[in-house]
């Protein structure tokens, strides 16, 4: 382990990165981020530094400049190979140069090369990127400034190409962050995982506000901001004027349009969620899942939170579905040879296995279990819903996403990033390519509400035959830039980018109509908008639109044939240079050609670490074996490749698995666990059909004795009906704030009660309220 952080010299001198200053400008649902990094060369010789750092996968870098002394040089976007050649030539000739490029392995990691800093010289690096803000389960808009680049599991075949990043326990640079929010809607509040100064409103309508990160933040974790508007789920349209200097007819020269749509599904369709599904849960069991969810008091381990979430999921599944659970690390296991029908027997068997799940499977090899899952035949009329839980970072992200994309017509993928530093490229990419939805669980977030929101999406019927039509004045055309919409969910945003061509003689109004079929029923949603451009948007919409087109072209390139790949690559480079945004084939390059003093002497090459979470690579030693058995095959060994410094060690690739093979680890000794949360205790007692039994364990959840509960039961009411009604009353009376978590448990319970057609329900509810000290109405219980 590296003890001294940063650019470590022969004399253990700290890194020359001294501070990071970030200005965040939010405009409705998008953000522009200005980051300035202050360097100083404290060596007595010229220095070339390497800084590997994370950015959100969907970010579009649109500016890069360097200020050395009083002289500022602004970088330009060039073809990556050309930029690398120019950088090498400049450095070898003693000129100051800077190179910013996206990692070849993952779109959320960038590498900054700082070339030829003279002894004692200061340099200020400015990076600007734009990004869409994601929407959370509580309707908040989320922005995350990544500080943590977790150790990424690297298959042995690609280990040599991975940039090395040292772990650090103390980050030797400071962070300042200021946030400016302007919205067409009223701002309710702004929250953060880190301490903030008080929010300051700058107008009477509360549509403009500012806030700063409190001083002293150590930047040892991601900075997460949650922004709440009064009407977050309102469809909107923003038209942005083109760049004056750009050619008319080009993407940057014409006005750009961003549509934020929130489809409203008919109530009669949403009243009955589909039960005929196959649910496959793929859970990361690598060593880092033993880390805490956050640094606060009472934090659960990630694997513990995953176990609680699986309990809730298993109890929430509808009767008539199929399910299976996989755990993965350096190898993988599945609970059943193939997905099984959901019943009391299979649910209890799965719960028994869930209780013994540990973070004991080494590295993060997600590709092999995915291949095994996709090799399993789907059940007719039971569309597959894949839930993926991981805290991991992998360096074969693009290979994983290609696999998910290849199976897009056979399943939907819902992904969850757990803990600080989970790969946005992996998590959002899997959901995007799998027509699903991505969630991130960071800080003190509870995993359960976010997962249950995704379960609600998974139970929604799939939307088919999605089409987008435009109604605009004569003389105007709309060229849609976004890829075709592949998934729509009730209450979830869908973004559309478009280019407006031509001019209208007088009319300024347009409309977009989204049509689709839902359970064979045609549905139409329409949004009116004005063609008049919005002022002072700084080309943010254009750059995000360009990024959307570039990403689509990159996916086409990966899937394309050799004959067409070169043309696609040329289009990517052309658009990237035109829009001034990053891509996999371009880089930002700046060379100070006007420097009067040529740098002489040998260059020192150093690497700057990003902040890793405490207990990074130091928590693990050499790879250790765990025993795995193959059903119907001799015992085998698979290596546990623990997280560590990137590229610091080769890890053995586990053997390839055929569709008929999977691994199951021996049952570990289960340590005594702390007393379960009352809600989870109640849920754990529910039967697969939805009812509860009248017993002492249930009474204990209510804080009563079994005799107290039994004596209040109306004579004509069955014990299970009485127990189930009590459970529903208790949930409504005392856990209403966690309704998102127990909504499907309650739906199953109410449906079961109705199926029993019991007498005396009104008296049952009345007696239940008296016993539990509540006032819940019969109508509220849905029985």
């Amino acid at each position: 382990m590296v003890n001294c952080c940063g650019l470590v010299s022969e004399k253990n001198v700290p890194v020359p990165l001294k501070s990071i200053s970030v200005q965040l400008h939010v405009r409705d649902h998008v953000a522009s981020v200005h980051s300035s990094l202050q360097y100083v060369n404290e060596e007595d010789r010229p220095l070339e530094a390497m800084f590997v750092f994370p950015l959100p996968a969907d970010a579009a870098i649109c500016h890069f400049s360097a200020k050395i002394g009083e002289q500022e040089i602004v970088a330009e976007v060039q073809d990556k190979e050309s930029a690398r050649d120019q950088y090498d030539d400049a450095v070898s000739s003693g000129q100051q140069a800077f190179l910013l490029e996206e990692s070849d392995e993952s779109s959320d990691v960038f590498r900054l090369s700082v070339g030829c800093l003279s002894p004692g010289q200061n340099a200020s690096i400015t990076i600007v990127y734009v990004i869409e803000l994601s929407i959370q389960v509580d309707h908040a808009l989320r922005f995350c400034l990544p500080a943590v680049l977790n150790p990424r599991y690297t298959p042995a075949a690609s280990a040599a190409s991975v940039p090395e990043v040292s772990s650090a326990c103390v980050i030797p640079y400071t962070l300042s962050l200021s946030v400016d929010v302007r919205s067409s809607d009223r701002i309710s509040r702004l929250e953060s995982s880190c301490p903030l100064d008080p929010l300051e409103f700058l107008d009477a309508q509360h549509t403009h506000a500012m806030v700063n990160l409190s001083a002293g933040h150590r930047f040892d974790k991601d900075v997460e901001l949650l922004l709440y508007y009064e009407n977050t789920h309102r469809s909107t349209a923003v038209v942005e004027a083109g760049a004056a200097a750009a050619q008319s007819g080009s993407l940057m020269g014409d006005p750009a349009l961003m549509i934020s749509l929130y489809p409203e599904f008919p109530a009669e369709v949403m009243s009955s969620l589909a039960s005929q599904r196959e649910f496959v849960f793929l859970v990361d069991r690598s060593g880092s899942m033993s880390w805490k969810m956050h640094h606060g008091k009472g934090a659960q381990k990630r694997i513990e939170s995953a176990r609680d979430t699986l309990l809730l999921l298993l109890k929430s599944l509808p009767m008539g579905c199929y399910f299976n659970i996989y755990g993965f690390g350096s190898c993988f296991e599945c609970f059943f040879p193939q997905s099984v029908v959901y019943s009391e027997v299979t649910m209890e068997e799965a719960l028994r296995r869930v209780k013994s799940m540990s973070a004991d499977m080494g590295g993060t090899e997600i590709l092999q279990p995915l291949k095994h899952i996709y090799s399993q035949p789907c059940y007719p009329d039971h569309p597959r819903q894949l839930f993926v839980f991981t805290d991991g970072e992998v360096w074969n992200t693009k290979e994983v996403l290609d696999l998910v994309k290849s199976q897009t017509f056979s399943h939907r993928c819902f992904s969850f990033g757990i803990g600080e530093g989970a790969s946005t490229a992996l998590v959002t990419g899997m959901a995007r390519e799998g027509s699903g939805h991505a969630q991130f669980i960071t800080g003190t977030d509870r995993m359960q509400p976010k997962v249950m929101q995704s379960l609600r999406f998974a139970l929604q019927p799939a939307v088919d035959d999605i089409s987008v039509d435009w109604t605009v004045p004569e003389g105007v055309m709309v060229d849609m830039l976004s890829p075709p919409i592949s998934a729509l969910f009730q209450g979830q945003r869908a973004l559309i980018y478009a280019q407006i061509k031509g001019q209208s003689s007088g009319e300024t109004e347009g409309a977009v109509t989204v049509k689709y079929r839902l359970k064979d029923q045609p549905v139409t949603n329409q949004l009116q908008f004005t063609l008049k451009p919005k002022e002072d948007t700084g080309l943010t919409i254009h750059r995000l639109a360009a990024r959307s087109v570039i990403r689509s072209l990159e996916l086409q390139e990966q899937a394309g044939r050799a004959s067409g790949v070169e043309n696609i690559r040329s289009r990517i480079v052309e658009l990237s240079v035109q829009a001034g945004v990053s891509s996999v084939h371009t880089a930002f390059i700046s060379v100070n050609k006007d420097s009067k003093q040529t740098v002489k002497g040998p260059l020192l090459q150093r690497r700057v670490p990003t902040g890793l979470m405490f207990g990074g690579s130091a928590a693990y030693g050499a790879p250790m074996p765990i025993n795995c058995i193959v059903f119907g095959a001799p015992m085998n060994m698979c290596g546990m490749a623990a997280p560590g410094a990137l590229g610091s060690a080769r890890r053995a690739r586990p053997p390839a698995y055929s569709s008929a093979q999977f691994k199951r680890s021996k049952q570990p000794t289960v340590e005594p666990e702390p007393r379960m949360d009352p809600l989870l205790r109640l849920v754990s007692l529910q039967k697969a059909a939805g009812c509860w039994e009248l017993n002492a364990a249930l009474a204990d959840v209510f804080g009563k004795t079994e005799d107290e509960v039994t004596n209040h039961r109306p004579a004509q009411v069955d014990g299970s009906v009485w127990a189930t009604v009590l459970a529903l009353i208790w949930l409504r009376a005392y856990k209403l704030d966690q309704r998102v978590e127990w909504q499907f448990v309650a739906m199953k319970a109410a449906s079961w009660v109705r199926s029993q057609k019991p007498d005396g329900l009104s008296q049952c509810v009345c007696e239940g309220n008296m016993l539990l000290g509540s006032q819940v109405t019969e109508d509220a219980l849905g029985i």
Side-chain angles (χ1 to χ4, degrees):
M1 178 178 176
V2 178
N3 293 317
C4 186
C5 311
L7 292 183
V8 183
S9 71
E10 297 170 354
K11 300 179 180 179
N12 245 6
V13 178
V15 298
L17 177 61
K18 291 298 182 182
S19 66
I20 301 177
S21 175
V22 180
Q23 293 178 318
L24 173 64
H25 300 274
V26 178
R27 300 295 180 267
D28 291 320
H29 293 172
V30 299
S32 176
V33 186
H34 298 242
S35 298
S36 293
L37 299 86
Q38 303 294 329
Y39 288 90
V40 61
N41 181 8
E42 296 179 345
E43 309 279 355
D44 55 6
R45 286 185 286 174
L47 181 70
E48 180 186 11
M50 179 76 75
F51 183 57
V52 180
F53 62 101
L55 281 179
D58 295 327
I61 294 184
C62 54
H63 174 88
F64 172 51
S65 62
K67 186 174 183 181
I68 303 169
E70 296 301 317
Q71 185 176 18
E72 183 177 22
I73 50 176
V74 179
E76 58 184 33
V77 180
Q78 293 185 7
D79 178 271
K80 182 178 285 188
E81 293 305 316
S82 174
R84 286 174 175 173
D85 290 342
Q86 189 175 343
Y87 175 80
D88 291 340
D89 290 343
V91 172
S92 62
S93 62
Q95 293 176 313
Q96 291 160 329
F98 301 85
L99 179 70
L100 177 68
E101 58 184 320
E102 180 181 310
S103 165
D104 291 332
E105 292 82 16
S106 187
S107 61
D108 63 346
V109 178
F110 285 77
R111 182 167 57 244
L112 173 63
S113 301
V114 183
C116 285
L117 280 182
S118 300
Q121 192 169 46
N122 292 280
S124 176
I125 309 298
T126 299
I127 300 170
V128 181
Y129 66 89
V130 292
I131 190 171
E132 304 154 357
L133 299 180
S134 61
I135 295 183
Q136 304 302 291
V137 64
D138 62 352
H139 311 315
L141 293 170
R142 178 181 183 267
F143 169 77
C144 183
L145 181 66
V148 178
L149 180 61
N150 275 349
R152 298 191 171 194
Y153 181 78
T154 309
S158 61
S161 64
V162 177
E164 181 180 350
V165 180
S166 304
S167 63
C169 290
V170 179
I171 307 304
Y173 42 86
T174 60
L175 169 70
S176 64
L177 171 66
S178 64
V179 184
D180 181 273
V181 183
R182 295 177 188 267
S183 172
S184 55
D185 198 7
R186 188 180 177 89
I187 302 166
S188 296
R189 66 187 189 277
L190 195 152
E191 299 176 353
S192 176
S193 59
C194 305
L196 299 175
D197 293 343
L199 184 67
E200 179 183 0
F201 290 102
L202 302 181
D203 65 347
Q205 293 76 32
H206 283 202
T207 59
H208 186 195
M210 293 188 67
V211 71
N212 293 317
L213 183 69
S214 298
H217 179 65
R218 299 177 62 186
F219 212 19
D220 57 347
K221 62 179 179 179
D222 293 352
V223 179
E224 183 184 50
L225 299 174
L226 297 174
L227 176 61
Y228 294 83
Y229 296 146
E230 284 194 353
N231 297 295
T232 303
H233 282 196
R234 179 168 57 90
S235 296
T236 59
V238 178
V239 177
E240 179 180 78
Q247 182 180 355
S248 178
S250 68
L251 188 153
M252 299 304 291
D254 286 340
L257 169 67
M258 183 180 77
I259 301 286
S260 299
L261 283 178
Y262 292 89
E264 289 297 327
F265 293 178
E268 59 270 23
V269 175
M270 296 304 297
S271 61
S272 58
L273 296 173
S275 62
Q276 290 186 316
R277 294 281 190 267
E278 178 195 5
F279 296 93
V280 179
F281 306 110
L282 178 59
V283 183
D284 192 340
R285 287 176 55 183
S286 62
S288 57
M289 285 290 287
S290 64
W291 294 353
K292 299 285 190 180
M293 290 290 292
H294 56 87
H295 301 309
K297 185 178 180 181
Q300 271 190 313
K301 291 181 180 179
R302 296 173 184 179
I303 192 66
E304 293 171 348
S305 184
R307 287 200 299 258
D308 288 349
T309 302
L310 285 172
L311 163 66
L312 194 58
L313 279 167
L314 286 170
K315 294 291 185 174
S316 300
L317 292 181
M319 298 296 287
C321 74
Y322 289 81
F323 79 100
N324 204 351
I325 298 176
Y326 284 71
F328 73 95
S330 299
C331 54
F332 68 90
E333 66 167 21
C334 48
F335 283 13
F336 306 101
Q338 60 187 39
S339 294
V340 294
V341 176
Y342 179 74
S343 67
E344 184 68 27
V345 173
T346 56
M347 183 194 74
E348 288 298 331
E349 170 63 15
L351 285 173
R352 183 184 67 79
R353 300 283 304 275
V354 164
K355 289 178 182 178
S356 65
M357 286 176 60
S358 300
D360 59 357
M361 297 186 75
T364 311
E365 273 281 4
I366 194 172
L367 193 61
Q368 295 301 330
L370 280 175
K371 287 180 177 179
H372 182 269
I373 291 169
Y374 293 145
S375 73
Q376 300 295 304
C378 293
Y379 290 93
D381 301 321
H382 286 76
R384 180 171 289 162
Q385 316 294 311
L386 175 62
F387 282 59
V388 180
F389 302 83
T390 182
D391 71 342
E393 304 272 1
V394 297
W395 279 101
N396 56 347
T397 300
K398 292 180 180 178
E399 190 177 358
V400 172
L401 299 188
D402 287 345
L403 177 62
V404 176
K405 183 177 178 63
S406 70
Q407 301 292 323
T408 186
F409 296 108
S410 67
H411 82 303
R412 290 192 293 190
C413 181
F414 300 86
S415 52
F416 305 89
I418 305 170
E420 309 288 355
S423 171
T424 57
L426 181 67
V427 175
T428 61
M430 292 186 71
R432 180 185 65 245
E433 302 305 339
S435 300
H437 185 246
Q439 302 266 24
F440 288 88
I441 301 100
T442 60
T444 57
D445 286 351
R446 282 176 55 80
M447 191 183 300
Q448 289 85 350
K450 295 193 175 186
V451 173
M452 299 314 292
Q453 183 199 39
S454 290
L455 178 60
R456 179 163 57 87
F457 290 160
L459 288 168
Q460 288 179 15
V463 174
D464 299 316
D465 299 329
I466 304 172
S467 65
V468 179
D469 299 316
W470 303 91
T471 304
V472 291
E474 186 176 353
V476 177
M477 292 188 305
V478 177
D479 185 8
M480 189 159 156
L481 301 174
S482 301
I485 300 174
S486 60
L488 287 173
F489 299 105
Q490 168 78 6
Q492 191 61 32
R493 179 184 63 189
L495 282 178
I496 299 174
Y497 293 103
Q499 180 180 348
I500 301 176
K501 299 180 177 180
Q503 289 186 339
S504 169
S505 57
E507 291 185 64
T508 60
E509 295 298 315
V512 58
T513 303
V514 179
K515 298 179 180 179
Y516 49 90
R517 296 188 68 82
L518 193 65
K519 297 184 73 172
D520 295 326
Q521 177 179 339
V523 183
T524 299
N525 291 158
Q526 187 176 76
L527 174 67
Q528 305 284 336
F529 61 88
T530 177
L531 294 171
K532 184 179 180 181
K534 193 172 184 179
E535 298 179 0
D536 191 28
T537 49
L539 295 177
T540 300
I541 305 302
H542 281 78
R543 285 165 175 153
L544 288 172
R547 182 62 163 168
S548 177
V549 176
I550 289 169
R551 279 289 181 241
S552 295
L553 290 171
E554 289 172 347
L555 292 173
Q556 290 179 34
E557 180 187 24
Q558 293 169 20
R561 295 179 178 177
S563 58
V565 166
E566 189 57 38
N567 289 333
I568 294 175
R569 185 186 186 282
S570 297
R571 290 175 61 194
I572 291 173
V573 172
E574 179 184 4
L575 183 55
S576 179
V577 172
Q578 178 194 140
V581 299
S582 55
S583 77
V584 70
H585 293 307
T586 54
F588 283 86
I589 175 72
S590 62
V591 179
N592 185 6
K593 299 178 181 178
D594 298 329
S595 178
K596 296 180 181 179
Q597 182 179 1
T598 301
V599 179
K600 298 181 188 245
L603 288 173
L604 298 178
Q605 191 173 58
R606 303 287 181 251
R607 295 185 183 273
V608 186
T610 56
L612 299 180
M613 283 195 299
F614 297 120
S617 60
Y620 301 92
M624 296 175 63
I626 55 175
N627 292 328
C628 293
I629 62 171
V630 182
F631 285 89
M635 182 172 289
N636 229 329
M637 301 290 285
C638 71
M640 183 175 74
L646 291 179
S648 61
R650 295 270 185 154
R651 296 162 172 93
R653 179 186 287 273
Y657 302 103
S658 69
S659 61
Q661 290 178 308
F662 58 93
K663 296 197 173 258
R664 183 172 69 180
S665 57
K666 289 183 176 180
Q667 302 292 344
T669 302
V670 181
E671 297 179 1
E673 295 184 359
R675 188 173 175 83
M676 190 182 292
D677 172 81
L679 173 59
L680 290 178
R681 286 168 54 207
L682 178 74
V683 170
S684 70
L685 297 172
Q686 188 184 33
K687 298 297 182 180
C691 65
W692 276 268
E693 292 182 346
L694 186 60
N695 54 34
L698 181 67
D700 186 57
V701 173
F702 304 145
K704 308 291 182 180
T705 65
E706 186 175 6
D707 287 344
E708 286 178 294
V709 174
T710 302
N711 292 338
H712 275 77
R713 176 173 66 89
Q716 72 274 31
V717 175
D718 175 77
S720 292
V721 172
W722 170 238
T724 304
V725 170
L726 284 178
L728 287 170
I729 293 174
W730 185 84
L731 288 171
R732 279 277 177 181
Y734 299 108
K735 295 296 176 181
L736 195 59
D737 59 334
Q738 293 177 250
R739 183 178 180 180
V740 171
E741 300 180 41
W742 52 259
Q743 58 181 316
F744 296 111
V745 165
M747 285 172 59
K748 284 174 65 174
S751 177
W752 181 86
V753 171
R754 292 193 302 269
S755 71
Q756 303 302 301
K757 299 179 181 179
D759 294 325
L761 269 183
S762 296
Q763 184 184 357
C764 197
V765 174
C766 181
E767 291 289 338
N769 279 316
M770 289 181 59
L771 175 66
L772 300 178
S774 55
Q775 297 180 337
V776 179
T777 66
E778 185 176 343
D779 289 342
L781 298 179
I783 56 176

